[in-house]
Amino acid sequence: MASVNSRFLSGLNDIQLAAVLHDEGPCAVFAGPGSGKTRVVTLRAARIASQGIPLLVTTFTTEAAHEMEARLNGMLSVGEMKLITVSTLHALCLRVLKAELPAFKLLTDPHQQRSLADLAGARDIEGGSKAFLSQVSLAKNMGSTHKSYKPDDSGGDREFARTWRAYEKVKAERGLFDFDDLILAVRDLFAGNEQVRSRYANEFKFIIVDECQDMNGPQFAITLSLGRDHRNVMLVGDLDQSLYAFRGADATTFRAFANHPTTRVFELSHNYRSTQSIMQFADSLIRQDTNRHPLPFQATRDEGLPVRWLRLNDADDEAEETAQEILSLHNAGMPFSDIAVLFRVNAQSEAFERIFAAHEIPFASKQDGDFYARREVQGLITYLQYLAPDEHTQTAYADEWLLALLNVPDRKIHRDVPQQLIHVAQLRGRRVREILSDFPAPDLRSFKGIKLLADQLAQLEAAVPQCTNAGHVIAKVRSITGYDRWIQHDPRGVREQEDDDRIVNIARVEEAASHYNTAADYLKAVRMVRDAKQKRRKDRRAHKQLDEVTLVTGHGAKGLEWKVVFAVGWSEFILPHRKAVNYDEERRIAYVIATRARDRLYVSSIDRWNDAITAPSRFLTDLNLVSALPPPRDSANTPAEQPNSLLGGLFD
Ligand code: ATP
Ligand code: MG
């Protein structure tokens, strides 16, 4: 080893130091959250590059890659930086395929993917093309291809195999690769073409992988084939933080790699991130998983404040309580950017965005999620906009909203009809609503569609004055228009994310709206969210330094840390997720969320989620703490009770 520049070696404990200095040959770092794994990865990468050696660092998310690159940028010269490739494996594979396959095209549009699946006959598979595509994705993540996949004797599986072959053929004819193909194609390319493999392998003399507990078999295959010649591969991870079994994450390869006699293993046992109270809470949580191999951990920080637990009525109460606490922390001098609200499903962010906007708390939603821009949500909002009296004119039923909902749900009204309606209404000097009943439709389907629309609008207009809150209006829209049925069968709604349940989003809108007396009040709150987001985008473009609370799912929070974390929605149906099959994985999500906190952790449970009554999460009841919880506060009747701080004492 050439002489090592000591600028990368300060602030490390002995084992971290040994891992950073580890020279050639395979090594693994197994360690719990906050033990400095990512610090070791970063410093080892910096150390290697500073010695003039090219290397590859892979991270699990693009965000983590950016963050690591930024850290390295602060430590290294431009020349040294050029020696490091920090990338997700997907991005690396994309680069390889673009270079190696001239006709390569990535299939990114989920609508297109779904129509290709339909073309291949996926409609006839149980659950339709959406279920078919997730089954294909899982099979690919487990390393299968349509050629290697072996159907069992059940007719269903054979049907799936046939459709899968047809789907791959349809894609191949168009030269398209989907996201999962990226990995498989590169795996097969490297396996089948030694020249290509060794060309890429020669680019990097060392490979370091962070968060490798979430890598699947094909991803390991690529990584290990790149490192085959020199074997300078470092795998870093924590099996307690594995969150992607549902996408084929492969813990056995990581273990086998670490158990290999030539692999040097570093176990980091000190936790530098969290206070003892937080660590004890997190540890009690993960200990409920009896199948794991516990890693020793030692706290380095003091006890700190107890973990605080709140039990609240519903998501609005939870968001309000959180907002109040954030405001008091901020008033006491804490920047918003030290605070995160972490949840299980995207739909949870809605209440926080709306209530934070009302309190002018700046926030950044890290998920793709503009909740109110979602198609299924947007449709309902458009109905409210049509039905709510305009703020200035005090009249409802504006033409612009009516035109926007002609085919919401799909009424098979011809796409030229809106223009024709405007034209005829203008000629007659009437509003569009008034000419619906005798509008000369261009075809029979449009005629029937417009008649149906007019009937439904009449029912809605009659029902709205009886509604006592905006949630009732949404309920009427759902039942009178058959909205849910449409959304469930709408092929344009498919999206690649964990929380793709559009009915949940609709139920969320109804519950959120039920907190407002009128549709206009609710729309005003929604507008404030939009305004807040717009302002943020503008500030971003102007490169303003933003101080904002982070809103993100547990999956999106992996590897990150904040001084204060609000772990929200720890209730049955949410965490664990109502569709969960793997409760250990749900518990690990809870564990990852809890271990993001450095100084303060607030956990909250809600007793109602959309249209369901919920109990506190089993992960909390398993700790035998729930009996100590106060009953949910009835915000309407009882004076505000002080938030209770319970957990600290119970973990002494
Ligand atoms: P996770 O499993 O959540 O990804 P991690 O093991 O990667 O966690 P890091 O993010 O690297 O942990 O480090 C956690 C925190 O501890 C960071 O703030 C880091 O700067 C700090 N830290 C790591 N090692 C030390 C050390 N030796 N002395 C002081 N602070 C440290
Ligand atoms: Mg890390």
Side-chain angles (χ1 to χ4, degrees):
M1 181 168 56
S3 75
V4 175
N5 194 324
S6 62
R7 69 188 148 132
F8 308 120
L9 306 180
S10 60
L12 294 168
N13 67 34
D14 290 350
I15 305 178
Q16 289 176 327
L17 185 64
V20 169
L21 290 176
H22 175 77
D23 198 22
E24 299 203 321
C27 70
V29 179
F30 263 111
S35 57
K37 295 184 297 300
T38 302
R39 184 184 265 210
V40 164
V41 168
T42 313
L43 294 178
R44 184 162 184 260
R47 194 269 290 162
I48 293 169
S50 73
Q51 291 174 278
I53 304 169
L55 79 156
L56 169 70
V57 182
T58 67
T59 59
F60 196 69
T61 62
T62 314
E63 192 159 75
H66 290 326
E67 197 164 305
M68 189 168 299
E69 218 164 2
R71 273 199 229 171
L72 287 165
N73 251 322
M75 291 186 243
L76 297 172
S77 68
V78 177
E80 288 167 334
M81 269 315 279
K82 283 202 178 124
L83 293 166
I84 306 188
T85 302
V86 187
S87 173
T88 62
L89 216 52
H90 277 98
L92 184 76
C93 291
L94 190 62
R95 169 158 85 82
V96 171
L97 292 176
K98 275 186 178 162
E100 302 302 322
L101 309 176
F104 170 83
K105 265 187 274 167
L106 185 63
L107 174 55
T108 49
D109 180 356
H111 304 149
Q112 193 189 0
Q113 191 178 22
R114 190 131 174 201
S115 42
L116 292 177
D118 282 344
L119 219 59
R123 247 176 240 208
D124 301 330
I125 297 273
E126 200 187 328
S129 46
K130 188 174 150 197
F132 165 78
L133 285 171
S134 26
Q135 206 178 336
V136 167
S137 177
L138 182 62
K140 287 181 180 175
N141 278 294
M142 306 294 276
S144 291
T145 65
H146 60 292
K147 289 183 192 145
S148 68
Y149 179 79
K150 299 238 178 327
D152 63 20
D153 284 337
S154 75
D157 252 7
R158 259 184 281 143
E159 176 75 23
F160 169 72
R162 206 172 23 249
T163 314
W164 188 5
R165 284 195 299 273
Y167 171 64
E168 295 304 331
K169 190 160 168 254
V170 171
K171 276 196 309 162
E173 283 162 5
R174 291 159 177 77
L176 288 167
F177 287 71
D178 65 30
F179 209 56
D180 300 317
D181 293 334
L182 286 181
I183 302 286
L184 290 184
V186 171
R187 178 196 66 177
D188 295 346
L189 183 67
F190 285 176
N193 189 331
E194 177 52 23
Q195 222 184 352
V196 175
R197 185 204 67 85
S198 66
R199 184 147 34 84
Y200 286 96
N202 280 334
E203 276 187 28
F204 315 111
K205 298 294 172 217
F206 283 81
I207 297 173
I208 310 180
V209 182
D210 199 8
E211 302 268 354
C212 80
Q213 71 275 5
D214 285 321
M215 293 218 314
N216 59 32
Q219 290 170 333
F220 274 118
I222 293 172
T223 309
L224 298 177
S225 79
L226 281 175
R228 198 162 70 209
D229 305 328
H230 48 67
R231 295 168 64 241
N232 297 329
V233 177
M234 178 188 239
L235 299 187
V236 179
D238 174 10
L239 292 172
D240 286 340
Q241 296 187 65
S242 162
L243 308 185
Y244 287 90
F246 75 101
R247 278 203 212 145
D250 170 22
T252 47
T253 303
F254 184 25
R255 272 208 204 95
F257 178 89
N259 288 336
H260 194 271
T262 58
T263 302
R264 180 130 182 238
V265 177
F266 300 94
E267 281 186 7
L268 311 177
S269 55
H270 289 73
N271 178 289
Y272 292 97
R273 178 179 293 145
S274 311
T275 62
Q276 284 178 35
S277 300
I278 293 167
M279 280 315 293
Q280 280 167 10
F281 171 73
D283 188 56
S284 317
L285 198 66
I286 198 70
R287 264 168 202 273
Q288 296 165 50
D289 180 351
T290 47
N291 294 322
R292 63 192 272 271
H293 302 274
L295 295 166
F297 83 88
Q298 219 173 314
T300 63
R301 297 198 50 198
D302 57 10
E303 185 174 346
L305 292 162
V307 174
R308 216 150 78 152
W309 192 352
L310 299 175
R311 183 170 174 184
L312 297 151
N313 285 312
D314 59 19
D316 267 54
D317 271 10
E318 188 181 46
E320 182 62 42
E321 195 72 48
T322 306
Q324 293 304 336
E325 190 64 28
I326 288 175
L327 287 173
S328 75
L329 290 168
H330 186 66
N331 289 338
M334 179 172 288
F336 288 123
S337 56
D338 279 340
I339 304 171
V341 178
L342 305 185
F343 38 81
R344 170 68 180 91
V345 294
N346 283 314
Q348 282 177 269
S349 79
E350 186 281 329
F352 292 90
E353 294 185 11
R354 182 165 37 82
I355 284 169
F356 286 7
H359 286 290
E360 299 187 12
I361 296 174
F363 61 85
S365 266
K366 296 249 169 173
Q367 249 32 30
D368 76 325
D370 184 352
F371 181 83
Y372 285 99
R374 288 177 194 191
R375 189 171 145 73
E376 69 275 14
V377 174
Q378 186 62 60
L380 292 176
I381 298 294
T382 310
Y383 271 97
L384 284 192
Q385 264 153 339
Y386 170 72
L387 293 164
D390 181 272
E391 220 178 308
H392 305 293
T393 62
Q394 292 307 313
T395 52
Y397 319 140
D399 284 354
E400 60 185 299
W401 303 120
L402 173 53
L403 293 170
L405 47 80
L406 294 184
N407 278 318
V408 178
D410 186 9
R411 298 185 180 90
K412 314 249 176 305
I413 296 173
H414 194 277
R415 66 183 138 82
D416 293 342
V417 166
Q419 270 313 320
Q420 295 169 359
L421 279 169
I422 295 169
H423 182 66
V424 174
Q426 270 170 358
L427 281 181
R428 297 189 194 167
R430 313 274 292 277
R431 290 171 65 170
V432 171
R433 175 70 184 93
E434 294 160 342
I435 61 155
L436 283 184
S437 51
D438 56 359
F439 170 72
D443 56 59
L444 185 61
R445 276 176 11 149
S446 300
F447 173 78
K448 285 187 179 164
I450 291 170
K451 181 162 181 337
L452 179 66
L453 171 71
D455 286 350
Q456 292 177 345
L457 291 182
Q459 287 180 55
L460 278 171
E461 288 154 8
V464 168
Q466 269 83 55
C467 291
T468 51
N469 64 49
H472 288 161
V473 182
I474 299 277
K476 290 287 175 200
V477 173
R478 287 173 75 179
S479 64
I480 291 172
T481 66
Y483 198 84
D484 291 19
R485 219 173 28 253
W486 171 62
I487 281 300
Q488 268 162 327
H489 296 104
D490 174 20
R492 286 208 271 157
V494 66
R495 48 195 312 133
E496 170 70 37
Q497 57 175 242
E498 301 117 39
D499 170 34
D500 64 351
D501 195 334
R502 282 163 281 152
I503 296 298
V504 172
N505 292 337
I506 292 172
R508 178 90 285 276
V509 178
E510 183 176 327
E511 214 231 289
S514 72
H515 291 86
Y516 298 83
N517 290 338
T518 66
D521 289 345
Y522 175 55
L523 288 173
K524 201 166 149 196
V526 172
R527 227 176 0 254
M528 286 171 87
V529 179
R530 293 227 173 105
D531 292 349
K533 291 196 166 189
Q534 238 162 32
K535 178 175 178 304
R536 175 174 192 266
R537 272 195 291 273
K538 232 166 86 188
D539 289 349
R540 276 246 131 141
R541 276 199 298 272
H543 301 290
K544 277 201 188 153
Q545 190 70 31
L546 301 184
D547 178 29
E548 49 200 13
V549 175
T550 299
L551 300 180
V552 68
T553 62
H555 287 89
K558 253 175 52 146
L560 306 178
E561 62 185 23
W562 292 269
K563 269 197 175 137
V564 177
V565 166
F566 290 86
V568 300
W570 284 38
S571 300
E572 292 290 300
F573 288 7
I574 309 174
L575 181 64
H577 193 273
R578 71 189 197 296
K579 286 191 191 158
V581 278
N582 183 343
Y583 287 100
D584 288 338
E585 182 144 308
E586 294 292 309
R587 191 184 295 104
R588 289 194 293 270
I589 297 171
Y591 180 66
V592 166
I593 288 175
T595 54
R596 299 308 93 202
R598 282 160 57 190
D599 299 351
R600 302 203 65 176
L601 174 63
Y602 298 76
V603 181
S604 48
S605 307
I606 50 179
D607 282 9
R608 185 192 158 92
W609 172 238
N610 301 337
D611 42 11
I613 302 297
T614 53
S617 168
R618 71 188 63 193
F619 303 139
L620 298 173
T621 49
D622 287 353
L623 297 178
N624 285 329
L625 292 168
V626 163
S627 57
L629 277 174
R633 190 142 41 85
D634 182 346
S635 48
N637 299 325
T638 39
E641 201 177 296
Q642 281 304 307
N644 232 294
S645 68
L646 291 164
L647 296 193
L650 288 157
F651 282 106
D652 283 344

